């Protein structure tokens, strides 16, 4: 009996280091990057993040070959002012979805290597607080609500 | 006797409460420049094709927006909504509307780039900017607010800004404002009303 208890305890203790890595427990869905007007320096990536782990995680950085620098940003609306701010991390509480969406949290792509057109794919690497990484490919989409313009359709 | 005190106390309390409520109402309308009704008025700024004044567009409805092209999210979102709103209107109405994008960041926004940027959203867009002093006075007269913020970020600096759309009637008079995020159908209906004031929906 005592042995069984000890082995259970041991198993529980051993399972500690086996905690799920951020990259294994966080599901990134519907990622996309905004198409930009020609010559525009920056864009942003949006997605839904779901932490399926019992423990909280955090997105602490992101990388992409499409931009010179990638940062995590948020928007604060205060007294009618729109304020964009760099943040150190995006908390991903256990079992909760977190939306990266226009007007709020986003992965900012600074210094685009080339113009982003609808249909292009952008590689993104998400880096979590435990150092684990996950890679994803996000399609470039026209800015929400914007109709296709004649000039941009291929003839 | 105690009744009289009670009545006086109630009266005083009522008076104090209404004073607080009135004061709060007053504060909410005057404390922020963004909530005051701005005067609007004529202005002259630079475009890629030379100086542009508001009075040049007399007879057209003008849609005015202040922003900057480094703005990665709010400005493209606002301009995309404007784009959608314009495209909802019949072509003959679109010709009677002049959308203007005023950059509050002349340091980074060249006239070339501004034109390219704003035309992405609609071919009739004109990108404008000017010296910091001139931009400040135009923004002030429309109640648009912005401030440069240094950040420990690769953007070097970001610009906090109000994101209202200003509607100017065919006589060059500021007619109203639409908040950031106003859906395209509301923008186009507001434009339509200014273009055809006699017709009701």
């Amino acid at each position: 009996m005592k042995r069984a208890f000890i082995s259970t305890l041991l198993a529980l203790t051993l399972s500690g280091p086996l905690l799920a890595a951020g990259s294994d427990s966080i599901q990134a869905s519907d990622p996309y990057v905004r198409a930009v007007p020609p010559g525009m320096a920056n864009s942003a990536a949006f997605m839904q993040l779901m932490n399926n782990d019992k423990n909280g995680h955090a997105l602490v950085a992101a990388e992409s070959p499409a931009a010179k620098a990638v940062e995590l940003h948020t928007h604060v609306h205060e007294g009618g002012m729109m304020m964009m701010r760099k943040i150190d991390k995006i908390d991903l509480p256990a079992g909760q979805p977190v939306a990266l969406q226009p007007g709020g949290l986003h992965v900012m792509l600074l210094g685009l290597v080339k113009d982003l057109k609808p249909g292009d794919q952008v590689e993104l690497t998400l880096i979590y607080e435990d150092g684990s990484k996950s890679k994803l490919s996000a399609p470039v989409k026209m800015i929400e609500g914007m109709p296709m313009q004649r000039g941009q359709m291929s003839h | 006797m105690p009744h009289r005190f009670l009545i006086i106390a109630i009266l005083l309390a009522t008076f104090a409460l209404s004073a607080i409520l009135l004061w709060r109402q007053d504060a909410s309308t005057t404390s922020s420049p963004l909530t005051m009704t701005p005067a609007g008025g004529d202005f002259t700024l630079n475009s890629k094709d030379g100086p542009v004044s508001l009075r040049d567009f007399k007879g057209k409805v003008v849609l005015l927006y202040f922003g900057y092209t480094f703005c990665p999210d709010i400005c493209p979102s606002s301009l995309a909504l404007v784009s959608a709103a314009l495209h909802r209107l019949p072509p003959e109405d679109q010709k009677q509307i002049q959308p203007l994008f005023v950059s509050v960041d002349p340091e980074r926004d060249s006239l070339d780039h501004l034109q390219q940027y704003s035309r992405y959203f609609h071919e009739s867009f004109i990108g404008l900017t000017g010296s910091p002093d001139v931009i400040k006075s135009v923004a002030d007269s429309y109640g648009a607010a912005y401030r440069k913020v240094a950040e420990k970020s690769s953007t070097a600096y970001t610009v906090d800004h109000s994101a209202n759309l200003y509607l100017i009637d065919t006589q060059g008079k500021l007619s109203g404002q639409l908040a950031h995020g106003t859906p395209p159908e509301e923008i186009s209906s507001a434009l339509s009303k200014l273009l055809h004031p006699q017709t009701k929906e």
Side-chain angles (χ1 to χ4, degrees):
Chain A
M1 196 61 195
K2 199 176 177 186
R3 187 161 292 177
F5 176 72
I6 288 170
S7 54
T8 310
L9 202 68
L10 199 67
L12 280 172
T13 318
L14 280 175
S15 70
L18 297 176
L19 281 176
S23 56
D24 295 329
S25 9
I26 288 129
Q27 194 187 342
S29 50
D30 302 323
Y32 71 97
V33 173
R34 255 184 182 174
V36 293
M40 195 172 158
N42 310 320
S43 186
F46 305 101
M47 66 196 76
Q48 305 292 322
L49 292 173
M50 176 69 199
N51 178 3
N52 294 313
D53 197 2
K54 290 190 295 290
N55 301 296
H57 287 284
L59 180 65
V60 296
E63 292 169 350
S64 174
K68 289 185 193 125
V70 182
E71 294 176 356
L72 306 177
H73 282 237
T74 191
H75 268 105
V76 187
H77 300 191
E78 213 176 85
M81 293 284 265
M82 305 290 169
M83 302 182 273
M84 186 178 76
R85 293 289 180 268
K86 188 184 177 204
I87 48 176
D88 294 332
K89 62 182 172 110
I90 295 173
D91 282 319
L92 305 169
Q96 275 183 45
V98 172
L100 274 57
Q101 61 192 9
L105 296 166
H106 55 277
V107 173
M108 181 141 166
L109 305 170
L110 298 138
L112 293 173
V113 176
K114 64 179 185 79
D115 287 341
L116 298 177
K117 293 184 197 69
D120 292 351
Q121 290 283 328
V122 170
E123 303 303 316
L124 283 171
T125 303
L126 302 179
I127 304 167
Y128 300 100
E129 85 293 346
D130 53 10
S132 63
K133 296 179 180 185
S134 61
K135 279 185 194 291
L136 55 114
S137 178
V140 175
K141 286 192 188 170
M142 190 61 104
I143 305 169
E144 312 68 38
M146 199 155 120
M148 278 296 278
Q149 286 177 14
R150 269 147 283 145
Q152 286 159 343
M153 284 198 237
S154 48
H155 291 280
Chain B
M1 204 55 184
H3 281 293
R4 189 171 293 172
F5 278 121
L6 194 65
I7 289 165
I8 290 170
I10 290 170
L11 280 174
L12 278 174
T14 315
F15 178 74
L17 191 68
S18 40
I20 288 169
L21 286 175
L22 278 172
W23 175 78
R24 281 188 51 160
Q25 202 173 27
D26 190 47
S28 68
T29 49
T30 54
S31 63
S32 162
L34 295 171
T35 51
M36 284 196 296
T37 309
D42 194 30
F43 55 81
T44 303
L45 289 163
N46 299 321
S47 79
K48 193 186 175 231
D49 302 320
V52 166
S53 299
L54 181 63
R55 60 177 178 274
D56 301 344
F57 307 115
K58 210 162 178 188
K60 285 188 174 187
V61 167
V62 173
L63 200 54
L64 179 66
Y65 184 78
F66 296 87
Y68 67 116
T69 76
F70 274 69
C71 170
D73 182 8
I74 300 297
C75 302
S77 299
S78 295
L79 296 175
L81 294 172
V82 169
S83 173
L86 291 172
H87 283 99
R88 288 172 68 91
L89 294 167
E92 61 271 24
D93 280 3
Q94 290 187 40
K95 288 195 189 86
Q96 292 306 307
I97 296 165
Q98 181 55 62
L100 301 176
F101 178 72
V102 175
S103 169
V104 296
D105 188 14
E107 203 179 308
R108 290 186 293 193
D109 284 337
S110 71
L111 294 175
D112 266 349
H113 180 52
L114 266 177
Q115 188 186 47
Q116 209 181 18
Y117 177 87
S118 51
R119 288 212 177 147
Y120 178 80
F121 297 96
H122 194 273
E123 67 261 18
S124 62
F125 248 109
I126 300 179
L128 297 170
T129 195
S131 69
D133 286 352
V134 174
I135 295 167
K136 177 84 174 71
S137 79
V138 178
D140 281 351
S141 57
Y142 283 85
Y146 59 95
R147 58 169 176 259
K148 220 161 110 169
V149 184
E151 270 224 272
K152 272 184 255 161
S153 157
S154 312
T155 45
Y157 64 88
T158 172
V159 183
D160 293 349
H161 63 113
S162 55
N164 285 0
L165 280 170
Y166 299 92
L167 294 162
I168 298 161
D169 70 14
T170 52
Q171 299 308 304
K173 194 175 157 291
L174 176 61
S175 140
Q177 302 181 36
L178 298 172
H180 170 71
T182 302
E185 51 275 22
E186 280 178 40
I187 303 175
S188 50
S189 119
L191 289 168
S192 213
K193 271 183 204 147
L194 282 178
L195 272 181
H196 313 287
Q198 68 286 11
T199 51
K200 292 218 168 96
E201 286 191 335

